[in-house]
Amino acid sequence: MRQFDELVAEAEAADVSGWGFDWLAGRASEERPPWGYSRLLAQRLAGVESALDLDTGGGEVLNEAAHFPPRMCATESWPPNAQKARERLARRGVQVVETCGEAALPFANQSFQLVTARHPISPNWSEIYRVLQPGGHYFAQHVGPASAFELIEFFLGPQPEARTMRDAQSEAAAARAAGLTVTDLRTVRCRMAFHDVGAVIWILRKCVWWVPDFSVQRYLDELVELDRQMRRGEPFIAFSARHLIEARR
C-alpha cells in the first residue's frame, strides 16, 4: 500500500462528478441487491411509450438500458451531473432537464407511463402521482435507513435521529397517502468494505451529505486511525441499506 500522503493527495484530486464509482475498483466493494435494478429497469423501459428518470446523476444507470421509449426524459439538480447526463444521453434522444430542489417537476399532468429513480434524493410523491398517467407505474431503488452509518458515525459520532430516516414502510405509507398503490416493496442490507484511506476520502467527497463538514484537515486524526487499521489488513466494514419499491397510479 502506498504512503498515507500519496493516497490522500490522489483521492483529493480525483474527479467525483457524475454517479459512477469506477474509481473505487480494487479499493472498495459493495454487495449488490439481489433483485438487479438495472435489469428490471431495462425491462420496464422497453414496455412503455414514455418514461421519466428522476435524479439521474450523470445518466450512468439509465444509459445501461438497451432501449428507451419514444419519449424519454430525465431530471438532475446538480449542474455538473446534469451536464454529464446531457453529454451521455442526448445522443440517444433523452431530454435532460435541470431541476431545482423541491420545486414542482417541469412536466404537465399525466405525462408519463413510467417514472423511475435510482437513489432519489427525496421522492416527492405528490409530484410523482401528478406526472404519472392513470395506470402508470413508479419503479425505483431507494437508499434505506442508516445506510453506511458505520462509516458516517465513525466521523460524526452517534446519529440516533438520522438513523430512522428513509424507512421503507414510511415511504410506502407516504406513496399511498399521495394516491399511489404500492405493488412491491423489498429491503436488503449489503456489505461494504473499504481497503485504503483514499477510498474513504473519495466516497466522502462524492456523497457530501454523509459527513457534511468533511475535509481531510478537519478529520485528519480519524483518517490516520483508519489508515493504520487498513495497513494491518483490516478493511473498514459498513452496510448499505436499499429498498425496491413499485407503485401504480
Side-chain angles (χ1 to χ4, degrees):
M1 187 183 296
R2 285 170 294 154
Q3 295 300 309
F4 177 81
D5 289 346
E6 292 180 75
L7 295 172
V8 169
E10 181 186 26
E12 287 195 302
D15 181 20
V16 294
S17 62
W19 206 236
F21 291 82
D22 292 346
W23 195 87
L24 293 177
R27 314 178 72 149
S29 61
E30 180 183 352
E31 293 176 338
R32 311 312 302 167
W35 45 74
Y37 175 76
S38 293
R39 174 181 56 83
L40 296 176
L41 172 64
Q43 290 174 357
R44 283 157 175 78
L45 289 172
V48 297
E49 294 297 312
S50 58
L52 168 65
D53 192 55
L54 301 174
D55 296 336
T56 199
E60 296 87 350
V61 176
L62 185 60
N63 196 46
E64 292 180 20
H67 302 286
F68 290 149
R71 185 187 185 200
M72 182 75 236
C73 300
T75 67
E76 174 56 36
S77 60
W78 194 41
N81 279 357
Q83 181 59 35
K84 281 186 173 290
R86 290 189 196 98
E87 294 168 0
R88 180 173 283 114
L89 298 171
R91 61 180 177 269
R92 298 190 61 190
V94 179
Q95 179 190 4
V96 178
V97 179
E98 191 171 325
T99 52
C100 182
E102 298 297 316
L105 292 171
F107 303 102
N109 296 349
Q110 302 181 15
S111 291
F112 302 99
Q113 285 182 275
L114 177 68
V115 175
T116 65
R118 181 181 179 272
H119 305 175
I121 296 170
S122 179
N124 186 329
W125 295 109
S126 61
E127 280 295 284
I128 291 167
Y129 177 90
R130 182 183 66 79
V131 300
L132 273 174
Q133 297 174 6
H137 286 256
Y138 176 71
F139 177 73
Q141 179 177 290
H142 291 191
V143 175
S147 186
F149 262 48
E150 295 83 2
L151 183 62
I152 292 168
E153 291 182 334
F154 178 83
F155 290 93
L156 297 181
Q159 304 288 304
E161 291 185 11
R163 275 185 167 271
T164 66
M165 299 170 64
R166 296 181 176 268
D167 176 70
Q169 293 297 336
S170 297
E171 290 194 352
R176 295 186 188 102
L180 297 167
T181 299
V182 176
T183 58
D184 194 7
L185 185 64
R186 312 179 212 174
T187 63
V188 69
R189 293 190 71 81
C190 298
R191 184 179 186 271
M192 310 169 71
F194 297 89
H195 297 281
D196 73 54
V197 73
V200 172
I201 293 168
W202 188 87
I203 198 69
L204 293 180
R205 290 184 58 229
K206 191 176 189 72
C207 301
V208 295
W209 56 93
W210 284 12
V211 182
D213 62 348
F214 177 78
S215 71
V216 169
Q217 190 61 40
R218 184 184 296 272
Y219 289 102
L220 184 60
D221 291 344
E222 289 83 356
L223 292 168
V224 168
E225 181 182 343
L226 281 178
D227 184 64
R228 288 172 179 160
Q229 172 185 325
M230 293 166 175
R231 289 180 189 278
R232 295 194 301 266
E234 303 172 18
F236 188 91
I237 304 301
F239 291 88
S240 62
R242 303 286 183 263
H243 50 270
L244 188 77
I245 182 166
E246 187 161 15
R248 183 183 70 251
R249 171 168 173 170

